[in-house]
Amino acid sequence: MVARAPVAPDHVRSISPYVPGKPIDDIARELHLDPKTIIKLASNENPRGPSKHAVAAIAAAAAEITRYPDGNGFALKAQLSRKLGIDPAQIVLGNGSNDILELATQAFLRPGEAAIYAQHAFAVYPLATQARGGVGIEVPARDYGHDLDAMRAAVTRDTRIVFIANPNNPTGSWISAQPLEAFIAAVPPQVLIVLDEAYYEYLRRSDRAPSLAWVGRYPNLLVTRTFSKAYGLAALRVGYGVMSLEVADMLNRVRQPFNVNALAQVAAIAALADTEYVEQSRDLNDAGLTQIYQGLAHLHIAYLPSRANFVMAHVGDASRIYQSLLAQGVIVRPVANYGLPDWLRISVGLPEENERFLEALETALAAAPSVHLVARAC
Ligand SMILES: *Cc1c(COP(=O)(O)O)cnc(C)c1O
């Protein structure tokens, strides 16, 4: 008799796994390219290398890795508390902010209950919803961004969670403070609102919503942030959520006791203190966005203006352009899985990387001239 593996429930079997950006080494193997000549602009990572202080903190902590980490993240929460003016008990640390998104669904979503998110919003919202047997309600986008009125109207008695990405990945869309707070105020208090601010640090100060202050007013608001993007620590997996004491209590019940590792904790503390690194990362990003916009406009390729560290370009036959870029050693991100088959998402790189992308794109377009006719400049 042939042994059979156990069968998972339907809601698990129907999940399409998250597709990450291709690692450089995979492409090098598949296309027989030298990894050193490949550039990756596919996962919205910080292109300028980590903060020296974060690296030094990891080196200093390495001798202690036989010990479990501090499961309560005392020192990191204390530092966040000082910086953000928040009670440390209102902070929950995560193994990346993805962990916080998962914890929210674990704590608040029963099978058959609904979570709402926007069309073209971050892929982890439907994934986390489905993993709990929840019902995902995707609300059509407006101008590639969140349609807050339609999202409010989609809330029913079955709704437990609403996810908002601000700015959103992959579209780069952004909602200003006033309509966002009006939305939060209009959502019934029994519905948890997860406000995902993974790209918050890339916003100009004047564009940043006072979201942490809102947590004091709306006990159903959970704001998530990450060290993976502007703080440059994607490999370490560390992020956090800020929320009411009641919501924090629930998340702490379902999280793993040691969900954030010790090296991630010390590096995050060092990165938080390195304000110069974050400022420079933002400046570099602003310059990179301008460079990419100008290059795309020059090639008559339409794009979505972005508030984050990536740009969506309307290239037409995206899978062909993607393959052509890959063959030239430039990894970007296809977004057909987001319902955007004519687009590619390009993470902002160093100036020379952005330039190489633009040159490779010109080459790719020249090999597929019909694309020029489809795309228009913004
Ligand atoms: C990158 C990203 C995250 C965070 O990822 P972590 O590395 O798990 O912190 C969360 N939300 C959005 C919209 C993102 O793009």
Side-chain angles (χ1 to χ4, degrees), residues 18 43-44 94-101 121-125 164-170 196-199 224-229 233-235 237-240 309-310 338 345:
Y18 182 81
S43 297
N44 303 343
N95 184 29
S97 59
N98 270 311
D99 192 20
I100 305 292
L101 305 175
F122 188 42
V124 169
Y125 313 146
I164 302 280
N166 197 40
N168 182 45
N169 172 18
D196 178 346
E197 295 187 328
Y199 300 96
T224 64
R225 306 242 177 108
T226 184
F227 288 96
S228 298
K229 310 280 162 57
L233 302 180
R237 316 303 305 123
V238 52
Y240 60 95
N309 66 344
F310 50 83
Y338 282 96
R345 190 194 70 192

Side-chain angles (χ1 to χ4, degrees), residues 228-254:
S228 298
K229 310 280 162 57
Y231 285 102
L233 302 180
L236 294 174
R237 316 303 305 123
V238 52
Y240 60 95
V242 176
M243 63 210 85
S244 61
L245 293 172
E246 294 85 346
V247 172
D249 182 23
M250 294 303 125
L251 263 58
N252 279 322
R253 288 169 198 241
V254 294

Side-chain angles (χ1 to χ4, degrees), residues 14 32 47 71 93 152 155 187 197 212 226-227 302 332 334 345 359 377:
S14 60
H32 309 288
L93 303 179
R152 169 66 191 87
V155 174
V187 169
E197 295 187 328
L212 300 185
T226 184
F227 288 96
V332 299
R345 190 194 70 192
E359 284 166 16

